Every structure is written in C-alpha cells, then in structure tokens.
C-alpha cells in the first residue's frame, strides 16, 4: 500500500492509504458478512481510510440512514479496531424525517445540527473522536460563519480531528476557509467531489444543483487544488458505479457528449498496453498524478476490492499519462 498525508496540524493530520474504501452501501445493499470480509481484506492489504456518512443509505428503506455507520461500528468493535484506521463521515444531508430526503428536508449545517449529528455519528461508529468530518452539502439557510464556528468548536473539544467539504461551490469553500483563517480557526482541508477520467457536462441542472453540477471536480476545483497544495481531493465515484466495464450499465447521461469516446479509447488503449483493467488504469491515473488525489472506491465483493487494490501498484509511464491527460 502507498500513503499520503491529509491535514496540516501536527496533532490531527493523518497518514492515509492512497486508495480509500467507500462504505456507503455496507449494512444495506451489501450484507454484513460481505461487508466485514471486504473491510477485513482492505485492512489486511494496508488500507486505512474508510468513508461513510450519517445519511447512508436512507434511500434503501425510506428512513434516515445510519446503516453504514452502524455496521462500521459493529466491525470496529468485533475486530478491536482503534485509531489506526481513519474513518471519515459527513453531516448535513441526513433527512430530518423518514420518507423525506436531502433535497426537501436536510438536517443542514447549523452549529446545533453539526454538534448533535457528530455526536450521533460517534455513537454509531463507537469512536471517541471522528478522524475526518465533512460538510456534506451546502446549507444556504445558515450563515457561513456559524457553520465554520460550529465545526471548529468540535476540533477544539477534541471530538473531531480534520474537516472536509463536499458538493459545495468553490466560492463557498474559499469563503469558509477565509472566514476560518481570519478567526484563527481550523478550516476545510479535504475536498470530496466526484471525479473520474471521463469528464461530465457541468451545465446539466438537477434538483440539488439548479445551475449545473457543483458536485464534480471541474476546472475551478482542480485549479484551486493546484494553488493550495495543502488541500487533498478525495475523488468519489471514480469508477462511475461500474459503467466503464459493465455492458448492462450505461454511462450517466451527463457523460454522453462528443468528448467521451476519445477518452474511453485512450483508457482502453493503456489498459491493453499494461495488461490492467480499465478500472485499474482510472485509479492509477488518479493516484499517480501531480495533484493530490485519493480515489474513493466502493466494493460489493472481495473480488472487486482485489481489482482495485492491484491498481495501487500500477505505474503508468509518462507517455501513457500524457495521453490520458490530453485526450478530448
């Protein structure tokens, strides 16, 4: 396994594996036995960076989520896992009532919610201190200063180590970090956004993003990352939920545009040259690039995990990487 550092504070920064494991569907679609087997193998291989959220996976049963955190808590207790495994979770997008969702009824990012939701996450996970806590989605109803101070208070109390942000406009990320810096408070240091080798259209509106996607790592985010080397991008859905390799699973509609075929062709070309799978090439491209990117990939079986783990040791040549970067 390879590792990289997240965070800057010597008391809270962590060395995490270059490949993160997504636990979104553990305890729901992925049963407990399989989830435990995947988690055990990941740790055995040197993996130590696991990602969840307080709302995973509320859509399975129309509840409020917590399935994934609860399963991870049971796994940690049964295996005697301590702080050697870094667990990241998120607050802000848990539905406030069963039968609702994060579009119409999210918990939000008030100081009160941040504190209470983080406490519930610590209980479900069985952790005295959350290693990394993300603001999951934007909350425009709460002053940004309140959100910044709410997160910082938990760091000061020692119940949270590092802060992250996901699915926010870059101007709000920068404003929150500027407010924190001006007040001498810790700010967001880990950015979690959807990022893969294929590039989506960013102008496609949705219920959460009426002006176009804020959840993808576009040019603005990547440029921000280049200008702020202390930040790290955790790239979720790097394998597009199997769409690269499954014939029965089409690409998401926002990837259906004229630039996609050329990038797919190069991916397949490099896969043939290396003897690796397309998925492995995508992960290796992210892990070995100039920017600090940690791919976050889920696995519903040990076999899927093994394929992903093998990508850690896949070294792309400078020529292969240049072709992958340039295709459009």
């Amino acid at each position: 396994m390879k590792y990289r550092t997240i965070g800057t504070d010597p008391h809270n920064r962590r060395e995490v594996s270059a490949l993160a494991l997504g636990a979104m569907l553990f305890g729901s679609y992925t049963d407990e036995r399989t989830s435990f087997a995947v988690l055990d193998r990941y740790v055995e291989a040197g993996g130590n960076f696991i990602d969840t959220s307080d709302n995973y996976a509320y859509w399975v049963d129309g509840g409020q989520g917590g399935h994934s955190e609860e399963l991870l808590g049971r796994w940690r207790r049964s295996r005697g896992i301590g702080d050697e495994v870094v667990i990241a979770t998120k607050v802000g997008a848990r539905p406030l009532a069963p039968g609702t969702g994060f579009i119409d009824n999210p918990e939000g990012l008030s100081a009160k919610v941040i504190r209470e939701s983080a406490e519930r996450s610590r209980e479900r996970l069985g952790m005295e201190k959350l290693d990394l806590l993300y603001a999951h989605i934007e909350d425009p109803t709460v002053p940004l200063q309140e959100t910044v101070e709410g997160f910082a208070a938990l760091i000061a109390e020692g119940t949270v180590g590092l802060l992250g942000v996901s699915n926010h406009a870059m101007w709000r990320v920068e404003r929150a970090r500027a407010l924190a810096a001006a007040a001498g408070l810790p700010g967001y240091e880990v950015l979690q956004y959807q990022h893969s080798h294929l590039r989506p259209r960013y102008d496609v509106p949705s219920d959460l993003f009426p002006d176009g996607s804020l959840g993808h790592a576009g040019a603005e985010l990547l440029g921000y990352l280049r200008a702020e080397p202390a930040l790290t991008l955790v790239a979720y859905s790097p394998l597009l939920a199997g769409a690269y390799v499954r014939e029965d699973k089409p690409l998401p509609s926002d990837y259906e545009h004229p630039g996609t075929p050329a990038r797919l062709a190069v991916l397949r070309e490099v896969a043939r040259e290396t003897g690796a799978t397309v998925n492995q090439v995508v992960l290796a491209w992210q892990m070995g690039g100039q920017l600090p990117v940690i791919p976050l990939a889920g696995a519903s079986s040990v076999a899927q995990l093994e394929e992903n783990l093998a990508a850690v040791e896949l070294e792309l040549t400078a020529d292969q990487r240049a072709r992958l970067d340039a295709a459009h």
Side-chain angles (χ1 to χ4, degrees):
M1 183 57 69
K2 298 174 183 176
Y3 300 88
R4 68 165 66 244
T5 303
I6 57 172
T8 55
D9 185 325
H11 299 293
N12 289 320
R13 67 188 179 202
R14 301 298 302 270
E15 293 290 316
V16 297
S17 45
L19 176 69
L21 177 63
M24 182 170 70
L25 301 180
F26 289 177
S28 54
Y29 285 124
T30 307
D31 63 49
E32 184 152 322
R33 180 179 179 181
T34 304
S35 300
F36 277 32
V38 170
L39 288 160
D40 289 343
R41 175 62 189 125
Y42 176 69
V43 171
E44 179 185 48
N48 74 338
F49 193 17
I50 299 170
D51 184 88
T52 185
S53 172
D54 68 346
N55 75 337
Y56 293 161
Y58 77 87
W59 53 90
V60 173
D61 58 6
Q64 293 173 271
H67 311 71
S68 175
E69 287 184 334
E70 289 165 359
L71 180 134
L72 289 172
R74 293 192 295 273
W75 172 73
R76 290 182 74 257
R77 286 186 285 270
S78 70
R79 303 301 194 258
I81 297 292
D83 63 5
E84 70 276 12
V85 173
V86 175
I87 295 187
T89 193
K90 311 175 191 75
V91 300
R94 182 178 171 90
L96 285 173
T100 63
F102 62 80
I103 301 295
D104 59 324
N105 199 27
E107 63 185 351
L109 293 172
S110 69
K112 181 174 184 289
V113 163
I114 290 168
R115 177 175 296 280
E116 292 177 352
S117 294
E119 181 63 28
R120 285 192 294 267
S121 289
R122 289 199 303 122
E123 290 174 1
R124 284 189 289 264
L125 290 163
M127 301 176 69
E128 292 185 10
K129 180 178 182 178
L130 299 174
D131 300 305
L132 169 59
L133 184 63
Y134 290 99
H136 202 163
I137 59 173
E138 292 185 358
D139 182 1
T141 70
V142 170
L144 205 47
Q145 185 82 33
E146 179 181 341
T147 297
V148 167
E149 292 174 353
F151 278 119
L154 301 186
I155 296 220
E157 293 165 13
T159 55
V160 171
L162 296 169
L163 299 177
V165 62
S166 182
N167 303 308
H168 282 53
M170 278 302 101
W171 71 264
R172 285 182 67 87
V173 174
E174 170 58 19
R175 184 168 294 179
R177 282 171 43 79
L179 286 169
L185 299 174
Y188 301 136
E189 295 191 277
V190 184
L191 314 181
Q192 185 175 139
Y193 287 76
Q194 186 168 347
H195 182 50
S196 190
H197 183 257
L198 292 185
R199 295 168 173 159
R201 288 178 53 183
Y202 299 100
D203 61 334
V204 179
S206 66
D207 290 338
L208 185 60
F209 305 124
D211 299 311
S213 178
L214 300 175
H216 289 96
E220 192 169 11
L221 187 153
L222 296 175
Y224 188 45
L225 200 66
R226 209 176 291 279
E228 298 284 346
L231 301 180
T232 302
L233 172 63
V234 172
Y236 76 78
S237 296
L239 304 180
L240 302 179
Y244 279 110
V245 295
R246 283 175 50 185
E247 293 183 3
D248 63 330
K249 190 174 184 66
L251 287 168
S253 59
D254 50 344
Y255 289 87
E256 296 289 353
H257 59 79
T260 291
R263 286 182 81 82
L264 272 177
V266 173
L267 272 177
R268 291 165 178 160
E269 185 178 81
V270 173
R272 287 192 297 271
E273 292 170 3
T274 58
T277 67
V278 167
N279 282 348
Q280 289 168 339
V281 172
V282 172
L283 295 175
W285 173 75
Q286 289 191 337
M287 285 184 279
Q290 290 184 341
L291 296 179
V293 178
I294 299 175
L296 167 61
S300 59
S301 68
V302 173
Q304 282 185 357
L305 176 66
E306 294 288 3
E307 179 185 1
N308 296 345
L309 287 170
V312 176
E313 303 304 324
L314 176 59
E315 296 287 346
L316 301 176
T317 67
D319 173 70
Q320 289 167 339
R321 186 167 293 282
R323 282 184 283 142
L324 288 165
D325 289 344
H328 62 274

